[in-house]
Amino acid sequence: MSISTQDACTIIQAVRADAIVISTMSAMHVMDQIDPGYAFGLSSVPLMGGAAGLGLGLALSFPERKVIILDGDASLLMELGVLATVAGMRPKNLYHFVFANGVQFNGGANLPVAGKGGVDFCALALASGYAHATRFAHVEALRSGMGASLAAPGPALIELDIEPTPARFGPQSVQPEQGDARFARMGSEARRLMRALGTA
């Protein structure tokens, strides 16, 4: 049985302490629900594929603080070269979670990702030079293994087998346009994060 996005985010939120959390796609929507005002949180929308790059910059700027990236498989595939970039900089405080649900726009159109869900992100991360990589397919294994995953020195990639959310849109139900606020949120969150980190 795979892990729900809700369960994964709840488990991560419970152990993250005061880590900086960069989220995108499905994980971002769930974090909006369970911890909407987190001062050290930053969404990566509309910068699809940019979560790991944002996380790397923050990890290098604040080496004393853990940086947790909640990435999507479709998003990471858009900027796959970032794995080599992260590995080359060797940030020991960077923890890169990949929510591998096999679809793009989860809960919306649910388009299949490139590779049809067959990409091994752990193998790619290790081949790129990440210090550690592990994969969780069951919620109890994730819950029991989370502490060790965040205690190991980074950069670490943690791949999660995530159950896709049923699609809401398709030929009979067209997705509405995204409002401007969706695209303005990253700027307001970045300003909030800067204040929390004492750099504003």
Side-chain angles (χ1 to χ4, degrees), residues 74-99:
S75 298
L76 180 54
L77 285 168
M78 290 183 172
E79 299 284 350
L80 203 53
V82 77
L83 294 176
T85 304
V86 168
M89 299 306 295
R90 302 190 181 281
K92 293 184 178 180
N93 56 329
L94 186 145
Y95 301 87
H96 190 176
F97 288 82
V98 179
F99 286 59

Side-chain angles (χ1 to χ4, degrees), residues 42 181 184-195:
L42 180 64
R185 66 176 286 174
M186 189 175 168
S188 62
E189 289 177 2
R191 288 186 289 274
R192 181 186 67 188
L193 177 60
M194 289 170 66
R195 291 191 297 271

